Amino acid sequence: MAMASNQGDPDGQNNDRGGFLAIPGKGRIQNDTLAFFERLGLDPVRARGGRAYDGTMRGIDGISVNFLPSRDIATGLRQGTIHIGVTGEDLLSELNDSRADTSVAIAMPLGFSRADLVVSVPRYWIDVDDLSDLEEVAVAFRARHRRRLRVATKYPNLTRRFLASHGLADYRIVESLGATEGAPATGRADLISDITSSGATLAANGLKTLRNGLIMRSEAVLAISLAASWTPATLRALRHILDLAAAEHRARSVRELRFRYNSDDKDLLRLLADRFECSAPYGEAAMMIVHCPVRHLHAATVCLHKHGKEIVTAVRTDSIFERSNPFYERIRNLANFSALEGS
Amino acid sequence: MEGDRARDVANFMRQCAASLAEQGYHCVPLPVIQPADAYLDLIGENARPRLVTFVAPGGEEMCLRSDLTIPLARHRLAEIAMQPETTAEVARLWAQGAVFRYPSETSTAGGVNEVHHIDVELMHETDSVAADCEVLVLTCTLMELAGIGSMPIRTGDIALFGDFVAALGLSPMLTALVLRCFHHPQRLEPLIAPSTRTKTIRAASIADDLKGPIEELLGLTESHPIGTRSTEEIRERFLRTRLTDMHDYLDPDRGALIREFLALRSSLAAAPEAAAALYRRGGIKTGPGWERFARRVSLLLDGRCSHHKINFEACFGREMGYYTGFVFEVATDQRLAGGGRYDRMLQDLGAHTAVPAVGCALWYERLLAAAG
């Protein structure tokens, strides 16, 4: 499946066009994505006054930037016309043919554009709280109304798989292209499954979420296409981005603690490692530096004080570059990139 | 090699055609392309993953037929619409040809599976037992033409479970819930009462008292109710399911009896008595469903199929979408033939009255291969 060669480009025409990075072209997800790249010190700029669909990424060679709808980014990644893309995990999962689908790999979650895909029914259905209620209602509905319950959704695959896993089959999916929450009110469907972040839109449309109706939690992800043809140059660009991202991610997750250290403190170091998951990146020194996970920060400093360390400084770093990049390692094997490296 | 196989198939088809014609069956040509709704409405969304669908130029969703039974039923429906005077006439129909499915539920990769079926359907025959037997005998005849001497045949009877549950004399709601346990066995346990007391409801009188407050509750949620379920539907179900000390349960004895019934397995010959014994244990009387079952068993044992090893499993038919009564299957590690009674299908497809129907599909390539 994943070929580190000119798959899809037998004449080698596309070599000099470089790889394609796709960013969502509008909405909050665009702003959040641009902010993410800026945090990495990269600068994505939309051409022609910010109205064009193409652009550049200052700081990275070998890749051109496209601004596209999130849904198109998901299909582009699957088809291999886009190498790297930011899009919603829900859109990727929806297009996923099967659990063994290997056309797209998620390089890293981005932590923004979080939303839940949920099954929602009219609030008026006070007798329906969960999926087993819905299942009974579906069976009775068919007998009474001589047709099946209709579920409106933009995510037919995810919805179908979810409902099937809960034993529901007595319904029909009605594909919705927009304003899914309005479908029950207009009579186009009887219930829906849709993305929600606060639940406010659902409530405003007279709908409520089923207690066990969570289909999936979604967020924006940085994904790469295993179906695209990768060249050494495109791979270098990917590695560049992932190195910056991993370094920033690691820096954000730890604080650098500094305190005075002498040879009696070996046990203390072990204690910090075992109890607070601290690492000592530069080994032992009189001015000791450990990296401590943010969640353990306070507890670790209390411990250090108890062991006689008067002053402990905690420093926030910008980026911590580790030789082995965990994000890159994950997809390296999936995409069989080792053949392209080192050139 | 190829030529021999093709000749075998051709010979077999000729013999089948002759035999079926002799029995009064008419061959019907059927379109490969069918409306996807026909399958999805009858079977539900579970049919979709393996159904080969596409969108026609006019926007209607179509599919490649994944069986011949539903196209035959649609054909009969169209016949009735064109010639209503033939509505109640017994129809003996058969068809043969390719049917198409995706090989896997989880992926469309790997292309489309094409297999060839012979399908026989007997409709409008009001003597359902005679019709059930005719179809099974016909299936055995066609199997013999393929060179299969004797085969184990699995049978079941979905209507027998219905008869048993009806005889238990439960409330209509509890009856409906128990019947669904045939297809969803895990639903039986929650229906059994936690204590040894049987709780019954006097729902009618209590419901009247609660009518007002519930209307208010519904009114609070929405000034204009949205959706297609009526206030009455919602109120009725709310009462039944939410006011749990009014919920009637199965007492543990009857729960155990139902569990035992669904676990019944025996040779066909022993089945009627085995079932009757459970009725007696429950202190209930066998009904028309059991009578039909018993009559069918004795007809089958006296008839042309009697040399096959036929068994009975009370829970067989669980996974078969639209069957309503007698079901059967001939299988090794693959299905070679399978069918049963499906009395609701034509009405579900749009017929004005219920049309009794029973039929069978044969995977004849597999039959010929099995015969060697």
Side-chain angles (χ1 to χ4, degrees), chain A:
Chain A
M1 172 104 248
M3 296 281 291
S5 67
N6 291 344
Q7 183 195 29
D9 177 28
D11 301 326
Q13 300 278 15
N14 285 338
N15 267 346
D16 39 19
R17 269 213 282 155
F20 289 101
L21 168 73
I23 291 179
K26 67 175 193 168
R28 245 179 80 181
I29 189 176
Q30 183 193 208
N31 298 341
D32 288 334
T33 306
L34 294 176
F36 165 73
F37 281 107
E38 275 157 36
R39 265 204 312 275
L40 302 186
L42 298 171
D43 198 9
V45 177
R46 257 176 122 142
R48 298 181 283 295
R51 297 211 200 293
Y53 291 108
D54 57 315
T56 50
M57 178 86 81
R58 267 209 298 259
I60 303 257
D61 291 329
I63 210 144
S64 46
V65 183
N66 282 23
F67 291 80
L68 297 170
S70 298
R71 207 166 257 264
D72 291 359
I73 297 178
T75 31
L77 285 165
R78 278 205 86 211
Q79 289 167 355
T81 51
I82 297 172
H83 292 81
I84 309 170
V86 171
T87 185
E89 199 182 349
D90 55 331
L91 298 172
L92 289 173
S93 298
E94 171 62 22
L95 293 176
N96 229 11
D97 219 315
S98 77
R99 236 153 292 169
D101 196 307
T102 50
S103 48
V104 182
I106 293 177
M108 64 181 284
L110 294 174
F112 50 84
S113 287
R114 289 189 200 274
D116 293 340
L117 180 61
V118 295
V119 178
S120 302
V121 305
R123 267 209 310 258
Y124 202 69
W125 296 8
I126 57 175
D127 62 323
V128 177
D129 286 335
D130 62 17
L131 287 169
S132 60
D133 284 323
L134 186 62
E135 207 257 335
E136 269 186 39
V137 166
V139 173
F141 189 90
R142 187 169 178 218
R144 199 186 197 108
H145 297 263
R146 309 260 10 180
R147 65 168 177 83
R148 291 173 193 261
L149 276 181
R150 289 158 309 164
V151 183
T153 182
K154 297 187 197 70
Y155 303 85
N157 289 332
L158 284 171
T159 305
R160 195 173 295 120
R161 273 181 242 148
F162 176 75
L163 292 176
S165 73
H166 282 86
L168 264 103
D170 270 316
Y171 65 95
R172 292 296 309 274
I173 298 253
V174 171
E175 198 150 354
S176 160
L177 296 169
T180 313
E181 316 89 359
T186 59
R188 245 186 342 113
D190 305 296
L191 64 142
I192 69 167
S193 80
D194 202 18
I195 276 278
T196 180
S197 36
S198 62
T201 321
L202 288 176
N205 282 278
L207 300 171
K208 63 174 178 181
T209 302
L210 293 184
R211 202 171 5 99
N212 55 353
L214 173 69
I215 301 179
M216 76 172 285
R217 296 221 122 95
S218 171
E219 62 182 309
V221 295
L222 183 72
I224 68 150
S225 173
L226 302 175
S229 50
W230 290 83
T231 63
T234 334
L235 183 61
R236 268 199 300 278
L238 172 67
R239 184 75 203 243
H240 189 158
I241 296 174
L242 286 182
D243 282 348
L244 292 172
E248 197 257 350
H249 186 263
R250 173 109 187 106
R252 252 188 310 131
S253 68
V254 300
R255 295 288 179 270
E256 201 160 86
L257 291 183
R258 298 180 183 181
F259 50 93
R260 295 211 61 92
Y261 177 87
N262 58 57
S263 45
D264 296 333
D265 289 323
K266 278 205 180 16
D267 285 343
L268 175 59
L269 276 190
R270 229 178 326 238
L271 178 63
L272 287 174
D274 292 340
R275 231 201 282 167
F276 308 113
E277 299 172 272
C278 292
S279 60
Y282 310 114
E284 296 166 32
M287 190 70 228
M288 190 63 202
I289 294 178
V290 297
H291 284 162
C292 175
V294 172
R295 64 185 172 280
H296 295 310
L297 178 61
H298 184 247
T301 51
V302 167
C303 175
L304 283 165
H305 285 155
K306 264 208 216 128
H307 279 79
K309 305 302 170 193
E310 282 294 323
I311 304 280
V312 179
T313 52
V315 179
R316 216 187 277 243
T317 58
D318 283 340
S319 304
I320 299 175
F321 289 89
E322 292 170 310
R323 194 149 178 274
S324 165
N325 180 334
F327 294 144
Y328 182 69
E329 290 307 311
R330 261 196 69 228
I331 51 175
R332 178 177 186 259
N333 296 325
L334 283 174
N336 197 20
F337 278 151
S338 41
L340 282 178
E341 287 162 355
S343 45

Side-chain angles (χ1 to χ4, degrees), chain A residues 97-98 133 135 148 190, chain B residues 41 45 106 180 187 228 242:
Chain A
D97 219 315
S98 77
D133 284 323
E135 207 257 335
R148 291 173 193 261
D190 305 296
Chain B
D41 279 341
E45 281 292 331
T106 50
R180 278 174 53 237
R187 302 258 165 88
T228 35
R242 290 302 180 276

